[in-house]
Structure formats: structure tokens, C-alpha cells
């Protein structure tokens, strides 16, 4: 479904992603694990087109020079030069890290915005209802401003927003970051629901333990370079991976 | 005298509000201070005059065409010029200010300096309100200012496009990741700003003759009100209009009419010194902006 080939991303001369090859097949949940500054977020933003947007923005104002090299192929099509909104139209939707929400809009309005590109309002409403069924706690918060919700609730809103956009490939950037164990369990549970919707998921995480049992395959990157990849079992059987990303 | 101050203060506040809505809207939604606002405002006045007096179109049609043309002009200004300097606040200001001055001075150069340019009242007649005689045009200004504020709220909270613009203003990258295009949003907000400038022009200009210096004054008003009320805050905008509107009437009643102009500048200075984010503003970017 998604093929990233020889991807390199430079911020000025700093290499954020180094010659990365990664593939996601339809229906899978694929995890990308790595420590801080490993290049996880850059990878996600690049696949979603945000890095390209930033590149043009910086170019316009003569700021930081960003270089993106390599191929990004989605469903057999080269997407490297597509704008973020074109990628959303193709079905690639990113939920950024640190639970981004529109803080002055209500929870309901946030979810509605997720369906911005869907013209059929009844479909949007259907998706919103689905989100409420995946995240029941949101039902009570419909009219509350998203900025006043807790971090966990904001994460639910952020994932919900991405779901309303009806993704084929959902990119989740550190969905568990900064959440309490209870909230983490809710998000992990939601991952199962998302899989049952036949949405393919590519997610990143620093700490692999809560998420590892639910992924099909995983990639481990350090300093922008892929150092290991394998199925869930292969990764879990590897002692180095266990010690570095499981704390065992 | 108190009665007439109350009534004309309200009219004045509504005038300020009409003038500054477009400027504040564009700033709130796209983050770009559109300093060509005064130019667009005056252009709308002359265009309406041309369509109505020279071409002889019905006034209503002339107004609608004017609003559409200025909306397109706003969008064009973004697409052609501002897009290239987006993100560098100072260049945005210089570019839009240059456009505004070009429009205004173009009219001066073309010889639009005589006293024949005026727009007709939309409604004739007057009524007496708490011992003050008020003509229908001024009444209409209050009504339109109110309706535009309501429209704006409904538009931004109840329509798909309005919500998207609000979202883009609040968190650009999140908006991008649900498929809202940032240049599309900014173009839209410039177009809205242009349309609002035209509505203000056709409502307010009938009260006097169209004069090129009005363009500069309009920009000053828009700036003063937005700085006073706080950027990106509609409540602040309304409050700013009311304070400035009444302060002006107060000074021109008790001192002299020419002190009216000083009120704007004094308001900008005081607010920037005491509370740079404005009375109800949420952001402190003002020092960089003005």
C-alpha cells in the first residue's frame, strides 16, 4: 500500500531521515520505534506531506533549506510532490504527535473538521457517531472546548478527527505520548477497533511495550537510519530490542 | 446633549466596526495584517460611484458588483503578492501597505480629487430617537454592522468553510493534516476582507463625499480598533469599537472635532504601552506586528 524507498530528509545539512526503506501492506498495523530525534516524526510528516509544505514555506521566506530525496509510493502512485490536502484526498491521514486539536472549537466541531474534504454531510455524521462509539468518553464532552479537555481526551479527539477523514492509511505519530496507563489502554483498544474498520495503520512510538502486542510488523530506527525490521514475533524475540524498547 | 451623544456614539461605533471588520477578519483568519484595506475601501467607493453614476446601473446591482469585485481583488492580492512573502511579518506589511498606497495615489493621480464623488443614501428619511433626529442611513449602518457580526459568527461556527478557516487560524499543521489547504484559507480570508471593506464603503461613504484621504483614515481606524480590542477576538473588536466610538464623540463634543483623529493614535499608544495584547486579546504578537 505504502512504499517508502531510499527516503532522505535534510534540514539544512542535518540528516533527519537517512536512506530509509519501509513498506506497509493493506490491512496491517505497522509500528516504527525509535528514541527521541530518531526521525519518527519527520518520517510521518514527510509521508503526510507536511514536510513538503514546510519546505515550500521556508523556501518562500528564505528560511531553512529542507531537502527531501527518495520515493514515496502510495497504491502504486508516486506521491512525493503532492500537497497535504491531495494526500488526504488519496486517503493518507496523519494524526500528529502531542494530541493536536483546534483548541477554541468544541469537540463536535473538531470532529466535523476531520470531514472537511467529504462533501456528503450524512457520511461525516456517520463517521462522527462511529468515533463516539470507539471513544465513549467523548460523548459527554461534545460541546466542551477541545482546549479545555485533558491530554487523553485530546488524543481521542485527534485520532477521531483523523478517522472522520476516512483514511485508507492512518498515520499515528506517538499516540501514547504523555498519556496515563488508563488512557493508553483506551487508545490501544481503539487501535483494535480501527483495524476492524479495515484501516491500515502506520504508527510510531518511543516505548514499544503497550503497543507491540497489536502490531503486525515493526521497524526500528536510530538517528534516521533503519537498523532492524521484522514481524512482531521477530522483534519480540530479539533481546536487544527487548532491552532498548521494552525496558526489560 | 447626553441623548445625542449616546445615539451618535452608537452610530460612530457601528461605523468603526464596519470599517475594521474586514481588516480584523483577514488578520484573525490568515495572520496577515492587510494594510491595503484602506485602498480597497476607497476603490470600492469609486467603483460603486462609477457603476451607479456613470454606467447608470441600479444602486443595488452596483453594490453587489462592487462587493464581488473587491472580494476578487482581495484574493488576487494574496495570490499574486502576499503569497510570496507569507510568513515574514514585516514584508507582509510592506507589501500590502505598498498596494494600498498605490491604489490610493493612483486615484489621486487620475484626478479623483474633486468634490463630485458621492454615493446616494440607501434609504431616505429620518426618525427621532430619544430626542435625537437620526436619518435612516445611519440607522442602517448600525443594523448592517450588527448583521455582519452575526453573519460572521454563524459563518465561522456553522458552515464547513468557516470552521475550516477558524481551524487553520488556530493550528495550521493540524488543519493541513485533515486536508485544509493553507493558501486556500488565506485567499478566502483576503476575499472576505475585501468584500467587507466594500460593504463598509457603500454603507458609510454616502454620509459624505469620497475623498482620497479617507483611505488612510480607514486604515488608521482599522488598526486602532484591532490593536485596542485585541487581535483575533471578535468581542474585543466590538468593545474596541464602542470605546473608540464614544471616546471620539466625547472629545469632539467637549473639546474640538479635530481632536477626533488624535483619539485613534492615543488609543494605540496607550494600549501598546499598558496591555500589548489588547483588551481581550489572547496573543502577544502585537509588538512584532505594529
Amino acid at each position: 500500500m505504502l512504499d517508502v524507498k531510499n527516503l532522505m530528509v535534510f534540514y539544512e545539512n542535518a540528516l533527519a531521515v537517512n536512506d530509509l526503506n519501509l513498506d506497509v501492506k493493506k490491512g496491517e498495523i505497522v509500528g516504527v520505534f525509535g528514541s527521541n530525534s530518531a526521525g519518527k516524526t519527520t518520517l510521518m510528516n514527510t509521508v503526510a506531506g507536511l514536510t513538503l509544505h514546510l519546505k515550500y514555506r521556508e523556501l518562500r521566506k528564505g528560511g531553512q533549506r529542507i531537502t527531501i530525496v527518495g520515493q514515496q509510493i502510495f497504491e502504486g502512485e508516486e506521491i512525493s510532490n503532492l500537497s497535504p490536502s491531495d494526500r488526504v484526498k488519496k486517503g493518507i491521514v496523519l494524526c500528529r504527535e502531542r494530541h493536536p486539536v483546534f483548541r477554541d472549537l468544541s469537540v463536535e466541531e473538531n470532529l466535523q473538521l476531520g470531514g472537511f474534504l467529504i462533501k456528503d454531510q450524512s457520511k461525516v455524521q456517520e463517521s462522527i457517531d462511529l468515533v463516539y462509539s470507539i471513544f465513549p468518553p467523548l460523548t459527554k464532552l461534545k460541546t466542551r472546548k477541545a482546549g479545555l479537555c485533558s491530554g487523553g481526551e485530546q488524543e481521542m479527539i485527534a485520532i477521531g478527527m483523523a478517522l472522520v477523514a476516512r483514511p485508507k492509511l492512518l498515520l499515528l505519530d506517538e499516540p501514547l505520548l504523555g498519556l496515563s496507563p488508563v488512557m493508553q489502554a483506551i487508545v490501544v483498544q481503539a487501535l483494535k477497533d480501527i483495524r476492524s474498520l479495515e484501516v491500515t495503520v502506520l504508527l510510531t512510538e518511543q516505548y514499544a511495550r503497550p503497543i507491540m502486542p497489536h502490531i503486525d510488523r515493526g521497524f526500528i530506527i536510530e538517528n534516521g537510519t533503519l537498523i532492524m525490521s521484522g514481524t512482531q514475533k521477530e522483534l519480540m524475540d530479539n533481546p536487544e530490542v527487548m532491552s532498548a524498547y521494552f525496558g526489560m | 446633549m447626553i441623548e445625542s451623544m449616546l445615539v451618535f456614539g452608537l452610530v460612530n461605533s457601528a461605523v468603526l466596526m464596519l470599517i475594521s471588520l474586514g481588516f480584523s477578519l483577514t488578520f484573525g483568519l490568515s495572520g496577515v495584517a492587510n494594510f491595503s484595506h484602506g485602498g480597497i475601501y476607497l476603490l470600492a467607493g469609486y467603483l460603486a460611484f462609477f457603476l451607479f453614476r456613470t454606467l447608470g446601473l441600479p444602486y443595488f446591482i452596483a453594490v453587489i458588483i462592487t462587493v464581488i469585485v473587491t472580494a476578487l481583488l482581495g484574493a488576487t492580492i494574496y495570490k499574486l503578492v502576499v503569497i510570496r512573502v507569507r510568513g515574514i511579518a514585516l514584508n507582509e506589511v510592506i507589501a500590502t501597505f505598498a498596494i494600498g498606497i498605490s491604489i490610493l495615489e493612483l486615484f489621486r493621480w487620475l484626478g479623483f480629487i474633486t468634490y463630485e464623488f458621492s454615493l446616494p443614501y440607501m434609504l431616505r428619511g429620518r426618525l427621532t430617537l430619544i430626542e435625537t433626529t437620526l436619518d435612516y442611513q445611519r440607522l442602517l449602518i448600525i443594523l448592517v454592522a450588527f448583521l455582519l457580526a452575526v453573519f460572521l459568527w454563524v459563518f465561522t461556527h456553522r458552515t464547513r468553510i468557516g470552521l475550516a478557516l477558524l481551524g487553520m487560524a488556530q493550528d495550521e499543521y493540524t488543519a493541513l493534516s485533515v486536508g485544509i489547504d493553507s493558501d486556500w484559507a488565506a485567499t478566502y480570508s483576503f476575499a472576505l476582507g475585501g468584500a467587507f471593506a466594500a460593504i463598509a464603503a457603500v454603507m458609510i461613504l454616502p454620509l459624505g463625499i469620497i475623498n482620497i484621504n479617507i483611505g488612510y483614515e480607514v486604515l488608521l481606524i482599522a488598526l486602532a480598533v484591532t490593536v485596542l480590542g485585541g487581535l483575533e477576538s471578535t468581542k474585543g473588536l466590538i468593545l474596541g469599537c464602542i470605546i473608540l466610538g464614544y471616546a471620539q464623540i466625547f472629545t469632539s463634543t467637549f473639546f474640538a472635532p479635530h481632536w477626533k483623529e488624535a483619539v485613534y493614535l492615543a488609543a494605540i499608544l496607550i494600549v501598546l504601552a499598558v496591555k500589548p495584547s489588547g483588551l481581550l486579546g489572547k496573543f502577544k504578537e502585537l509588538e512584532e506586528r505594529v
Side-chain angles (χ1 to χ4, degrees), chain B residues 57-97:
Chain B
L57 292 175
Y59 192 48
F60 184 63
I61 306 283
V63 165
I64 289 179
I65 295 178
T66 307
V67 170
I68 293 172
V69 168
T70 49
L72 291 176
L73 177 69
T76 314
I77 288 176
Y78 181 77
K79 282 270 183 190
L80 284 185
V81 182
V82 181
I83 198 168
R84 290 162 209 277
V85 292
R86 183 95 195 270
I88 322 171
L90 185 62
N91 291 15
E92 288 168 1
V93 169
I94 294 173
T96 53
F97 197 45

Side-chain angles (χ1 to χ4, degrees), chain A residues 30-150:
Chain A
V30 174
V32 175
F33 303 103
S35 61
N36 272 332
S37 82
K40 302 186 299 295
T41 300
T42 302
L43 171 69
M44 293 304 235
N45 286 352
T46 306
V47 174
L50 297 184
T51 313
L52 190 68
H53 175 85
L54 187 68
K55 175 187 165 171
Y56 288 141
R57 172 63 56 87
E58 292 289 315
L59 203 64
R60 257 185 218 168
K61 64 176 184 184
Q64 203 177 30
R65 194 157 36 90
I66 298 172
T67 318
I68 306 169
V69 194
Q71 287 177 298
Q72 302 155 44
I73 296 162
F74 182 68
E75 295 186 320
E77 244 182 291
E78 174 71 53
I79 55 163
S80 302
N81 291 317
L82 293 186
S83 70
S85 62
D86 283 338
R87 297 191 201 207
V88 175
K89 279 178 205 153
K90 289 211 177 301
I92 306 175
V93 181
L94 166 68
C95 171
R96 286 160 56 235
E97 64 181 336
R98 293 169 208 281
H99 33 80
V101 292
F102 300 112
R103 56 187 194 288
D104 285 339
L105 299 182
S106 72
V107 172
E108 178 92 6
E109 286 170 336
N110 265 275
L111 294 178
Q112 276 170 2
L113 263 187
F116 174 69
L117 286 177
I118 298 165
K119 297 279 186 293
D120 186 350
Q121 282 306 303
S122 62
K123 265 190 181 170
V124 174
Q125 197 50 51
E126 209 176 280
S127 309
I128 292 176
D129 291 339
L130 182 74
V131 169
Y132 285 135
S133 72
I134 295 177
F135 298 115
L138 291 185
T139 322
K140 280 176 270 169
L141 304 170
K142 277 183 188 179
T143 54
R144 181 181 295 187
K145 281 198 176 169
L148 299 176
C149 292
S150 74

Side-chain angles (χ1 to χ4, degrees), chain B residues 235-288:
Chain B
K235 279 179 213 150
L237 180 77
I238 296 171
L239 186 69
C241 290
I242 291 174
I243 292 176
L244 273 187
Y246 278 99
Q248 279 192 331
I249 295 295
F250 187 81
T251 42
S252 58
T253 311
F254 291 106
F255 299 99
H258 58 258
W259 283 103
K260 246 170 99 168
E261 309 298 317
V263 172
Y264 305 125
L265 298 166
I268 294 182
L269 281 179
I270 294 172
V271 172
L272 284 184
V274 177
K275 193 169 183 298
S277 59
L279 293 177
L280 298 176
K282 295 171 204 154
F283 300 98
K284 296 231 169 187
E285 295 171 325
L286 225 65
E287 299 100 308
E288 301 160 23

